[in-house]
Amino acid sequence: MAEVLWHELVTQKDSTDARDSSGNTFEYLASIKRVNVKTNKGCSFQMDRMTRNNLHRVTRNTAFYFGVFSDHLVLAKIWKVEILVVLAEVERQLDRCKNDIAHVNFLLRWLEDQGERVFATNF
């Protein structure tokens, strides 16, 4: 995704995933679109171990990019979602979670409604 978006990868653990030439930082989430299955079609994205105390994992970024792969190597689509939109969804899911720690999921339908598609190939 970084190559397509002209971003520089950040390799430091517990940091953002990439930055652009202006110093803006970004988080990348990726998923493979499942098409030849009977159940669980489509794709979803996950942020694991989210709590109210680590929301900086969202807010330290300028935006989130969600990449949909048609297989393990072929990037098919990328959506960009603004931080306030991602933060609202994370907080919504945390509010509904019975545990202190949550795995936050973003579904493809949510991306299509909330995000801007910034890259697409035919697949």
Side-chain angles (χ1 to χ4, degrees):
M1 284 194 297
E3 184 177 316
V4 169
L5 296 168
W6 295 87
H7 292 163
E8 173 190 356
L9 284 176
V10 175
T11 58
Q12 180 181 342
K13 186 169 173 59
D14 296 329
S15 185
T16 61
D17 290 328
R19 75 173 59 87
D20 66 12
S21 60
S22 299
N24 298 308
T25 57
F26 307 102
E27 188 75 16
Y28 293 165
L29 295 176
S31 182
I32 296 175
K33 186 170 184 181
R34 298 172 300 274
V35 293
N36 295 322
V37 295
K38 291 183 179 181
T39 61
N40 205 18
K41 289 184 179 183
C43 61
S44 63
F45 306 81
Q46 186 177 81
M47 293 184 72
D48 60 343
R49 299 182 305 272
M50 288 301 302
T51 68
R52 295 257 174 224
N53 293 328
N54 67 8
L55 290 175
H56 68 278
R57 290 175 55 196
V58 174
T59 59
R60 68 185 174 196
N61 296 290
T62 304
F64 269 58
Y65 286 95
F66 295 82
V68 177
F69 286 74
S70 58
D71 64 33
H72 289 87
L73 298 174
V74 179
L75 178 60
K77 296 181 183 180
I78 301 174
W79 273 270
K80 178 181 180 182
V81 182
E82 298 300 329
I83 289 305
L84 291 178
V85 176
V86 173
L87 183 60
E89 180 61 14
V90 170
E91 289 177 330
R92 184 190 73 78
Q93 290 189 39
L94 286 174
D95 287 345
R96 293 182 179 196
C97 183
K98 295 177 184 177
N99 302 317
D100 293 334
I101 299 174
H103 297 310
V104 175
N105 290 293
F106 304 93
L107 300 178
L108 182 58
R109 175 174 280 150
W110 180 85
L111 280 180
E112 293 169 344
D113 291 342
Q114 302 296 324
E116 170 192 4
R117 192 172 69 198
V118 296
F119 173 79
T121 62
N122 295 327
F123 75 96

